[in-house]
Amino acid sequence: MKRALITGITGQDGSYLAELLLAEGYEVHGMVRRSSTETFDRINPIKDRLHLHQADLLDQLSQIELLKEIKPDEIYNLAAMSFVPTSWTQPVLTGEFTAMGVTRMLEAVRHICPETRFYQASSSEMFGKVRETPQGEMTPFYPRSPYGVAKVYGHFITVNYRESYGIFAVSGILFNHESPRRGLEFVTRKITDGVARIKLGLATELRLGNLDARRDWGFAGDYVRAMWLMLQQSTPEDYVVGSGTAHSVRDFVALAFEHAGLDWQRHVTVDPKFIRPAEVDLLLADKTKAETQLGWKARVDFAGLVRMMVDADIERLKKARG
C-alpha cells in the first residue's frame, strides 16, 4: 500500500485529492496546523479513513519529525496562503508560507526521505501580466501580486532541488479550479453563494470587483487527478493544467444568475474596493503537454461547473434554513 502525505488536506484541493488517493488504495496522511478553530468540514465524510498529524510549514522541525514518522512514498504540498487579495495585506506571511514553506519541506525531504516523490502546487497567478497567450510550460512568469511572486519562488526552488539533488520533484502549474468546496472569499464561490441567497430571498444585491478579468476555470475534482498523474510518471517534469478556454467574471455571473432564473443586471454592483492593486487581465492554459503526456482531460466543462456550484449553494442554504 502506497503512503501519501498531503499538506493543506483540509482545503478544497486537499479534500478532493484525499478522496482520489483513498480510491486508488493509498494510506493517506494529512498535515494540519494547530488552530483554535479547526475546520474539517471538507474531509469530515472521510476523516475516519485518514491519518492526521499536527505540523506547520513555518516550523521545519515539525516537518522533519513528521517525515521520520510517516516515511511517505508521495508528498503533495498544497498548503499555502492562497487567497490573492490577502497577500497584499499580509505579504511577509504570504512569503513565509508560500515561498519559504516549500523550501523547508524540500529540505526535510532531502535529509529524511530523498526517494519520496514531491508535488508542488504552482499557480497560473505566476504568469500575471502575461507574456504570451495561451500560457504553457515555457511561458515567462510576470507575477502581479505577493502571492504570485511567492509562488514563483516555490516553483523554482522545486526545480532547483530536482536538478541539484536528484529529488523526484514536480510542479503543477494549475489554472483556476473551483468547486462547491471553494472558500466563500473566492470570487466564483462569492458569486454562486450570492446567487443562492438572492434566489432564496436572503439578499438582494451582490457586490463584485472587475467583471472583465478573464480566467481559465475548471473543476477541482478533475485537477487533482492531474497532480496524481504527475507523480506516476517515469521522469519528473512540470505541467500546465487548465481547460484551454477563458471566460470573464461577467460570463460566470451571467451564467450563474441565468441558471437560477434571475437577471444579474438587477442585482450586481461593481464596488471599487474589490479591485486589485495590480490586476491580472487574462489567463489561458496551453494544456497540450498534460493531455499528451499524462493522458489527462477535464471532465467537467465551464457551464457544468457553474451549474454544479449554484445548485450546491442553493441546497446548502435551504438545509441551513430548515
Side-chain angles (χ1 to χ4, degrees):
M1 179 181 288
K2 279 189 179 180
R3 189 176 296 139
L5 170 64
I6 304 171
T7 74
I9 194 169
T10 60
Q12 168 188 256
D13 292 7
S15 64
Y16 280 112
L17 179 60
E19 290 174 355
L20 170 68
L21 294 177
L22 287 171
E24 292 291 338
Y26 281 65
E27 179 181 304
V28 180
H29 296 255
M31 189 180 98
V32 295
R33 298 187 71 209
R34 176 73 182 96
S35 70
S36 56
T37 54
E38 293 177 335
T39 54
F40 297 109
D41 294 353
R42 296 181 180 95
I43 58 171
N44 269 335
I46 57 170
K47 193 178 173 189
D48 60 344
R49 301 169 61 195
L50 303 173
H51 305 268
L52 300 180
H53 310 262
Q54 287 185 3
D56 200 306
L57 287 180
L58 300 185
D59 180 31
Q60 185 152 35
L61 184 58
S62 69
Q63 297 175 31
I64 290 171
E65 292 301 319
L66 182 57
L67 295 192
K68 282 181 179 177
E69 178 186 349
I70 299 174
K71 295 182 175 59
D73 299 292
E74 299 172 1
I75 295 174
Y76 296 86
N77 186 40
L78 310 186
M81 178 74 79
S82 61
F83 186 47
V84 175
T86 301
S87 74
W88 273 288
T89 58
Q90 296 182 310
V92 176
L93 187 61
T94 298
E96 284 292 339
F97 274 115
T98 308
M100 294 308 299
V102 186
T103 313
R104 294 186 190 101
M105 183 61 76
L106 284 165
E107 270 293 280
V109 169
R110 181 167 78 91
H111 289 287
I112 305 303
C113 48
E115 300 305 312
T116 296
R117 295 190 168 204
F118 180 86
Y119 172 87
Q120 165 60 15
S122 287
S123 168
S124 59
E125 287 287 331
M126 301 188 306
F127 294 120
K129 189 175 182 180
V130 299
R131 306 287 85 188
E132 62 185 15
T133 299
Q135 295 89 49
E137 288 80 8
M138 301 306 294
T139 300
F141 299 133
Y142 195 142
R144 297 270 281 173
S145 67
Y147 169 78
V149 171
K151 277 292 186 184
V152 169
Y153 177 98
H155 178 86
F156 277 121
I157 201 68
T158 302
V159 172
N160 188 258
Y161 271 66
R162 176 172 74 217
E163 296 179 350
S164 301
Y165 302 115
I167 294 171
F168 193 109
V170 306
S171 287
I173 307 172
L174 271 55
F175 280 64
N176 294 66
H177 46 289
E178 319 295 320
S179 76
R181 301 180 194 175
R182 189 59 137 157
L184 285 166
E185 69 273 21
F186 290 87
V187 67
T188 52
R189 187 73 195 290
K190 183 179 179 181
I191 292 167
T192 60
D193 176 73
V195 167
R197 290 181 182 279
I198 293 168
K199 178 68 174 178
L200 297 176
L202 302 173
T204 58
E205 183 186 44
L206 175 61
R207 303 183 78 84
L208 298 170
N210 181 13
L211 299 183
D212 295 318
R214 295 175 65 81
R215 294 290 183 273
D216 183 327
W217 277 299
F219 172 51
D222 286 338
Y223 286 41
V224 298
R225 193 160 31 86
M227 299 177 188
W228 174 70
L229 287 169
M230 289 179 212
L231 292 193
Q232 311 315 307
Q233 304 306 302
S234 57
T235 56
E237 295 184 37
D238 304 326
Y239 295 86
V240 162
V241 177
S243 74
T245 305
H247 296 273
S248 67
V249 175
R250 184 179 280 101
D251 293 337
F252 199 110
V253 167
L255 189 53
F257 275 87
E258 180 186 348
H259 184 58
L262 299 167
D263 178 1
W264 72 271
Q265 296 187 47
R266 295 180 57 187
H267 301 284
V268 173
T269 301
V270 174
D271 189 333
K273 78 176 182 181
F274 295 121
I275 303 291
R276 294 183 182 186
E279 183 58 89
V280 174
D281 297 314
L282 171 64
L283 293 174
L284 178 63
D286 179 351
K287 56 189 172 42
T288 306
K289 183 179 177 183
E291 287 191 343
T292 56
Q293 292 191 23
L294 299 178
W296 177 85
K297 273 188 169 31
R299 296 169 180 169
V300 179
D301 65 8
F302 176 71
L305 172 67
V306 175
R307 290 193 293 265
M308 174 201 303
M309 293 177 67
V310 170
D311 289 342
D313 273 323
I314 290 174
E315 189 62 29
R316 175 181 59 86
L317 291 173
K318 279 182 178 177
K319 283 182 180 176
R321 199 167 60 170

